[in-house]
Amino acid sequence: MRNLTLLTDLYQLTMMYGYYKQGVHEKRAVFDIFFRANRVITYSVAAGLEQAIEYINGLNFGEEEISYLRSLNLFDEGFLTLLQSFRFTGTMTAVKEGTVVFPQEPILTVSAPLWEAQLVETALLNIIDHQTLIASKAAKVCHAANGGKVMEFGLRRAQGPDAGIDGARAAVIGGCGSTSNVLTGKKYGVPVSGTHSHSWVMNFKDEYTAFRAYADTYPDACMLLVDTYDVLKSGIPNAIRVFNELKAAGHKPVGIRLDSGDLAYLSKKARKMLDDAGFPDTVICASGDLDEKLITSLKQQGACIDMWGVGTKLITSDDLPALGGVYKMSAVYEGGEMVPKIKISETEAKITNPGLKTTYRIYDKAGMAQADLICLSGEEIDTSKPLTVFHPVETWKKTTFTEYSVKPLHITVFDEGKQVYFSPSVMEIRAFAQKELATFWEEYKRLDQPHVYKVDLSEKLYNLKRELLMKHRGGNA
């Protein structure tokens, strides 16, 4: 396991040192990770918790780390000595990976001695933001595919090995059925997929010979890339020729892959040619700079595509390069009592929600998600009574639920430094995410101008926030 303790910004260490010098480093504080609404992501699929747990468990300042910090001439020996025994002793809560989350909702909360909570900010944001971003993009791609299989093909275009490995993991959580990334497959137990490239075809004297050789190698898993030269004049005819030979030998060909050209036109022509040749069950796979928008367009054009290989625009989240998650203090403890904290801004969306919190999801009697309610920790909802929720800014907008159920979204991951939650397999997380997504109406998941899902504050949290705003603004909320 790599030591990622120094995977942090320098100012985290200088603040840790400052807290130490001021004698307040053991003072307990609470921080939340959440993201703000933006033009692209209205909902997200939480991911990265397993790697966050690994990071927390691996925190320690070894000889190499201490030696390097000493060389910076920023810290005294007393502080460096204290770092040698540093371990995470705090409490961490989070939503399970695969949970659908919305702007302003805490994805992960750290309650720990101030210097511990400060150190972990950068790495936790790095891990949670990246995987949540990719899982969310994958969820939208898979939603656009509308039942078609989606394969993650992005490793060669990912921004480095870690982004490729854990990005593929997140893509599977978001809904992809497999990945081309063999290391991800090995490390996380997810299906791997792939066939051959254009270079395979170019390496033989002609296309038919290349296809024949591939079929000889994989007679029961033969999917042929047909666009190296000319899809309709040579690629598909040569594929059909080889498929006939496989069929005569008692094998069932899988299908073809299109990687370029007008995918709608070519796939429709290919489907007819394959059907006419007696191969109606062969699949057509498409790849080549696909994303949820292009997939939606191709389906609207009647493209006959059964499988989608999505690479660059998924693994890099092409239209939104960063989730924009933040890590904000929401409380400190003074004399054993929690003191809520708030960050104020002229921009309403940047005003934080104070206190130690939890989130409840409200469902109707059919089990469909209706709204989320961010509450102060310890608040309970009596489902035998009507529940009225209101918009956190436009408070005149209210909804009352009568027949409903609620589910708390947060679990305890670390309890006073001890890990008490252990991650399921990636494929189990994927199944959980699919069930979660299925509880949301299509109106919330559509790509173009989706309906805004309600995320409200409990009355107690709303009043606390208003009280703190009035206090800091001289009585003017």
Side-chain angles (χ1 to χ4, degrees):
M1 181 185 296
R2 293 181 298 173
N3 187 339
L4 299 180
T5 306
L6 293 186
L7 184 65
T8 191
D9 294 302
L10 180 61
Y11 83 153
Q12 311 290 13
L13 291 162
T14 56
M15 282 191 287
M16 289 172 69
Y17 183 57
Y19 295 141
Y20 161 75
K21 295 296 285 185
Q22 296 299 314
V24 296
H25 59 291
E26 292 290 352
K27 177 181 178 180
R28 199 170 186 90
V30 179
F31 289 81
D32 297 318
I33 288 180
F34 60 93
F35 69 96
R36 301 186 179 108
N38 57 66
R39 60 181 175 82
V40 177
I41 291 184
T42 52
Y43 74 90
S44 289
V45 176
L49 181 58
E50 180 179 343
Q51 287 64 46
I53 292 170
E54 291 175 356
Y55 161 73
I56 293 294
N57 280 329
L59 281 173
N60 72 93
F61 290 86
E63 291 184 8
E64 290 186 12
E65 288 73 29
I66 296 297
S67 178
Y68 173 71
L69 293 180
R70 182 178 289 113
S71 74
L72 299 179
N73 295 316
L74 292 171
F75 314 109
D76 66 26
E77 286 300 317
F79 179 68
L80 295 176
T81 299
L82 193 61
L83 287 182
Q84 292 175 18
S85 59
F86 182 95
R87 295 292 185 277
F88 182 78
T89 65
T91 293
M92 178 191 293
T93 63
V95 300
K96 293 180 180 179
E97 290 191 88
T99 299
V100 178
V101 289
F102 295 90
Q104 304 300 326
E105 296 180 347
I107 299 174
L108 183 150
T109 297
V110 172
S111 176
L114 189 53
W115 71 323
E116 295 179 23
Q118 200 71 69
L119 174 65
V120 301
E121 172 182 359
T122 301
L124 288 179
L125 278 173
N126 176 279
I127 294 165
I128 299 297
D129 275 18
H130 173 246
Q131 288 203 47
T132 300
L133 177 72
I134 304 303
S136 306
K137 181 71 171 180
K140 290 173 174 58
V141 169
C142 294
H143 184 258
N146 192 27
K149 294 182 179 179
V150 179
M151 302 169 288
E152 187 280 315
F153 275 6
L155 178 57
R156 66 186 60 193
R157 302 286 176 79
Q159 283 118 341
D162 287 347
I165 295 165
D166 289 337
R169 175 189 186 274
V172 172
I173 288 173
C176 292
S178 62
T179 176
S180 66
N181 188 329
V182 179
L183 185 53
T184 294
K186 173 182 178 294
K187 187 174 182 180
Y188 296 117
V190 303
V192 293
S193 57
T195 55
H196 66 81
S197 68
H198 297 106
S199 62
W200 173 273
V201 178
M202 296 163 66
N203 190 51
F204 291 83
K205 66 178 183 179
D206 56 47
E207 191 172 49
Y208 166 71
T209 304
F211 288 174
R212 176 69 266 174
Y214 195 80
D216 285 343
T217 307
Y218 296 103
D220 296 309
C222 185
M223 178 176 282
L224 300 173
L225 178 61
V226 296
D227 72 333
T228 302
Y229 302 122
D230 189 302
V231 173
L232 300 180
K233 290 182 179 179
S234 67
I236 296 175
N238 281 323
I240 289 172
R241 183 179 173 187
V242 170
F243 289 170
N244 279 320
E245 294 170 0
L246 283 172
K247 185 177 180 180
H251 301 288
K252 185 178 180 180
V254 175
I256 64 167
R257 178 163 70 96
L258 299 167
D259 191 51
S260 60
D262 186 331
L263 296 177
Y265 171 78
L266 291 174
S267 67
K268 286 185 279 189
K269 287 290 187 180
R271 183 74 274 157
K272 186 176 188 309
M273 293 170 72
L274 290 166
D275 290 353
D276 289 348
F279 297 103
D281 295 331
T282 53
V283 301
I284 297 176
C285 174
S287 56
D289 285 334
L290 298 171
D291 64 6
E292 66 273 29
K293 295 175 183 176
L294 181 52
I295 290 173
T296 298
S297 177
L298 289 169
K299 291 182 78 70
Q300 289 171 345
Q301 296 170 60
C304 297
I305 297 171
D306 308 292
M307 300 173 65
W308 308 85
V310 187
T312 304
K313 293 186 176 182
L314 169 54
I315 202 67
T316 64
S317 186
D318 179 71
D319 56 347
L320 186 71
L323 180 70
V326 294
Y327 184 90
K328 296 297 182 182
M329 178 185 285
S330 61
V332 296
Y333 285 81
E334 303 279 3
E337 295 292 323
M338 188 186 73
V339 180
K341 295 290 184 178
I342 189 170
K343 177 191 177 297
I344 297 177
S345 171
E346 292 302 315
T347 304
E348 189 278 329
K350 290 191 173 183
I351 300 175
T352 60
N353 293 318
L356 187 61
K357 299 172 291 294
T358 192
T359 304
Y360 288 96
R361 181 149 294 158
I362 304 167
Y363 299 89
D364 64 15
K365 60 182 179 181
M368 299 300 289
Q370 300 298 298
D372 285 1
L373 192 64
I374 306 175
C375 302
L376 291 172
S377 181
E379 285 193 72
E380 295 184 359
I381 298 174
D382 184 352
T383 55
S384 68
K385 299 178 180 179
L387 173 64
T388 298
V389 299
F390 56 90
H391 192 282
V393 178
E394 300 166 343
T395 55
W396 60 90
K397 295 181 179 179
K398 297 181 179 182
T399 301
T400 298
F401 301 102
T402 53
E403 296 183 78
Y404 67 98
S405 61
V406 298
K407 179 179 76 173
L409 299 186
H410 294 86
I411 54 167
T412 300
V413 182
F414 285 90
D415 184 8
E416 300 303 314
K418 180 181 178 182
Q419 183 182 347
V420 295
Y421 173 81
F422 297 85
S423 296
S425 71
V426 172
M427 297 308 289
E428 289 172 327
I429 297 171
R430 178 183 183 274
F432 173 74
Q434 295 302 298
K435 289 181 179 179
E436 289 287 291
L437 285 162
T439 66
F440 288 86
W441 298 109
E442 290 300 305
E443 290 82 354
Y444 298 123
K445 296 182 285 188
R446 67 185 176 219
L447 300 176
D448 190 20
Q449 297 184 325
H451 190 62
V452 178
Y453 183 76
K454 297 180 181 67
V455 177
D456 298 327
L457 307 183
S458 71
E459 187 171 355
K460 286 185 178 180
L461 177 55
Y462 173 83
N463 289 336
L464 173 62
K465 186 174 184 177
R466 182 177 174 82
E467 177 186 327
L468 292 177
L469 283 170
M470 291 181 67
K471 174 183 177 182
H472 288 283
R473 288 177 171 172
N476 299 310

